[in-house]
Amino acid sequence: MEKGLAGAPVGASIPGEKDGEERVLDDGTIVVDWDGEIDPANPKNWSDKRRMGATLIVAAFTFLSPASSSMIAPAAGQLAAKLNITSDIEISMTVSIFILAYAIGPLFLGPLSEIFGRAIVLQLANLVYLIFNLVCGFANNKSQLLAFRFFAGLGGSAPLAIGAGVLGDLWRPDERGKASALYSLGPLLGPALGPVCGGWIADRLPGDGYKWVFFSTSIVCFLIQILGLLYLRETYAPVLLSRKAAAIRKEKGWEKGDERVKTVFDLKVGKRTLGWVIRHGLVRPFVMLYKEKILQILTLYVSVIYGVIYIVTVSTTDIFERIYGESVGVAGTNFIALGMGFLIWAQISGRLIDLVYRKLKARNGGVGQPEFRLPPMVPAAFFLPIGLILYGWGAQKRLHWIVVDIGQFLIAAGMIGNFQATNTYLIDCFTLHAASALAASASLRSLCGFGFPLFAPYMFDSLGYGWGCTVLAGVAAIVGIPAAPVLFTFGAKIRAVSSYAAKAPSGAPPSSGPSSRKK
């Protein structure tokens, strides 16, 4: 159970409080909290329809941005010819520089959402994406294009930095698997389906098709933005309670910011200022990455995964055009194999995460713990290297195209399975610090998403697709296969000495596995 002031559970009585009246400390401070566990103002108590609606809007934001990052890949040759780009690295950068912005945006957008709220930061950042993505279609040279793509990526990084926090605001731990399945589809299904659309646009509009890649995504972004303005409401508890505190001050005729009214979160972490944003936004994620072994292991793994997905993105069109003789439009349809892997395994994995969590929680005397999220990572950790082997050697030996597509399917299944499990695990582990943990993870993985495609053409030229993908498969296996067993066994002990991770409450029943944290 969440702890309030002086170690008391949130919602419990505290010294100086009378039943049916406002909470008041002995020094006269009014403490603002939810009105009990079933307060309808608490986003966790909203109706399932309302919570799922908010989840779908955030998932749509989270889908569109990664789709934009890769949608230009099949049209990169067309774009390069129009803007006189001749270097292989610069051509790859037209795709991957969008991802470089993902390494920076979460560092300040995540913390800003903890001051001003999730909804307003999401909507304003999406507006930045909309403007700069649109003007990419009017770029006259490579410098303008790369600059516009970078700023579009900054705006587009907000859903990846904040979206998981919205899920934590809306859903309780044993409800979170299905919502996480929807949210996790965005960063992975987007890069798969984007090139399918981009390929056909480039094929049907051989002159200016690349411009319509930008125009079409901008139109979709505008529609999602309208839905967000209409239906996405604030979900972050500290911001909602601060508004409640402001209403109490106004009712009593006190000045704005009067310290006689505080929220339970003010008492825990204090007021959040611009200095707090700098310390916690630009510094805390890297401090956590330096100190937290759990975060180090999972961030390293998802970074490799993210780099692999963008290697596959920039190489698939080339494989099917050069080796299998397909047109750019037909070559783009092979990304459907990635999309199917994401979609099918996301549904299986999302349900599996909730099912395994509930069963292990019941076995543990009704006490849940973050490590119960990890078992579904095990099959996903094997899918990824197997898929890479099939993908690389299928192309190298010119086997039937279905072998390469089966490889893509397994790569996608491995990616989505690992992303869903790690996202829910990090949210459960770091609770109020989840935004910073996810920002650290997003920053490092985005650097890999930017950098891996730059060396991929040279790796494949030197080693071939077969041995190149074998090297990637070996790295993925060495990092990924031991990760879930190690953290399941030792995760609770690591959390017990952590400065940021959630710990088991005193008096919790003994666990059959690692020490528990009550949900």
Side-chain angles (χ1 to χ4, degrees), residues 107-118 121 274 276-277:
L107 299 179
F108 61 90
L109 292 173
L112 283 175
S113 76
E114 297 178 10
I115 296 178
F116 300 108
R118 316 280 199 201
V121 174
L274 181 60
W276 184 93
V277 171

Side-chain angles (χ1 to χ4, degrees), residues 21-328:
E21 297 182 0
E22 294 171 335
R23 274 187 187 181
V24 182
L25 295 180
D26 291 337
D27 64 1
T29 301
I30 298 173
V31 180
V32 179
D33 194 3
W34 301 119
D35 296 333
E37 294 184 1
I38 59 172
D39 186 348
N42 185 342
K44 287 187 173 67
N45 295 325
W46 291 352
S47 68
D48 286 349
K49 182 179 179 181
R50 186 179 179 188
R51 290 189 295 168
M52 187 53 70
T55 299
L56 287 171
I57 290 172
V58 173
F61 280 137
T62 312
F63 167 81
L64 182 62
S65 177
S68 296
S69 72
S70 62
M71 195 169 172
I72 194 63
Q78 186 185 95
L79 184 152
K82 285 286 185 178
L83 300 184
N84 298 316
I85 303 174
T86 56
S87 165
D88 286 341
I89 289 181
E90 290 179 342
I91 293 172
S92 294
M93 281 183 67
T94 61
V95 177
S96 67
I97 196 168
F98 194 95
I99 305 304
L100 178 62
Y102 284 7
I104 301 170
L107 299 179
F108 61 90
L109 292 173
L112 283 175
S113 76
E114 297 178 10
I115 296 178
F116 300 108
R118 316 280 199 201
I120 186 65
V121 174
L122 270 173
Q123 289 160 353
L124 289 177
N126 192 53
L127 185 60
V128 171
Y129 160 79
L130 172 60
I131 292 169
F132 282 100
N133 187 68
L134 180 63
V135 297
C136 281
F138 299 101
N140 294 317
N141 54 60
K142 65 183 179 183
S143 298
Q144 288 181 357
L145 179 74
L146 293 175
F148 295 158
R149 285 278 284 169
F150 178 80
F151 285 111
L154 277 181
S157 69
L160 303 175
I162 300 169
V166 175
L167 301 192
D169 297 339
L170 290 170
W171 303 95
R172 293 178 175 84
D174 54 359
E175 303 171 320
R176 205 171 284 155
K178 291 179 183 178
S180 178
L182 282 172
Y183 170 75
S184 297
L185 275 175
L188 300 173
L189 194 57
L193 295 186
V196 177
C197 300
W200 282 112
I201 292 173
D203 192 64
R204 298 301 179 186
L205 299 171
D208 293 324
Y210 77 94
K211 292 185 177 182
W212 279 98
V213 169
F214 299 121
F215 297 158
S216 60
T217 48
S218 297
I219 291 168
V220 174
C221 176
F222 177 77
L223 296 175
I224 297 173
Q225 181 79 345
I226 295 298
L227 290 174
L229 291 171
L230 292 175
Y231 299 111
L232 183 62
R233 296 293 177 262
E234 186 53 55
T235 64
Y236 190 49
V239 169
L240 292 172
L241 290 179
S242 71
R243 293 175 183 174
K244 186 176 178 180
I248 292 173
R249 293 188 191 100
K250 183 176 180 180
E251 180 184 338
K252 294 183 176 295
W254 295 344
E255 292 183 359
K256 181 180 179 181
D258 194 304
E259 291 295 319
R260 286 175 289 180
V261 181
K262 294 183 178 180
T263 71
V264 289
F265 297 101
D266 292 335
L267 293 174
K268 288 178 185 178
V269 299
K271 289 285 185 181
R272 298 177 178 185
T273 62
L274 181 60
W276 184 93
V277 171
I278 294 172
R279 289 193 307 274
H280 294 79
L282 301 180
V283 177
R284 187 171 68 182
F286 295 103
V287 171
M288 290 180 68
L289 190 60
Y290 175 75
K291 291 183 175 180
E292 299 293 333
K293 302 300 180 187
I294 290 171
L295 192 57
Q296 291 169 5
I297 293 170
L298 293 181
T299 296
L300 175 61
Y301 187 33
V302 299
S303 296
V304 171
I305 293 173
Y306 212 64
V308 165
I309 194 173
Y310 279 95
I311 285 180
V312 172
T313 298
V314 299
S315 63
T316 293
T317 301
D318 184 61
I319 285 174
F320 284 99
E321 281 189 297
R322 228 171 21 93
I323 295 177
Y324 292 95
E326 296 176 354
S327 69
V328 64

Side-chain angles (χ1 to χ4, degrees), residues 472-493:
L472 295 174
V475 173
I478 290 169
V479 177
I481 291 175
V486 167
L487 289 178
F488 188 86
T489 304
F490 301 107
K493 293 180 181 178

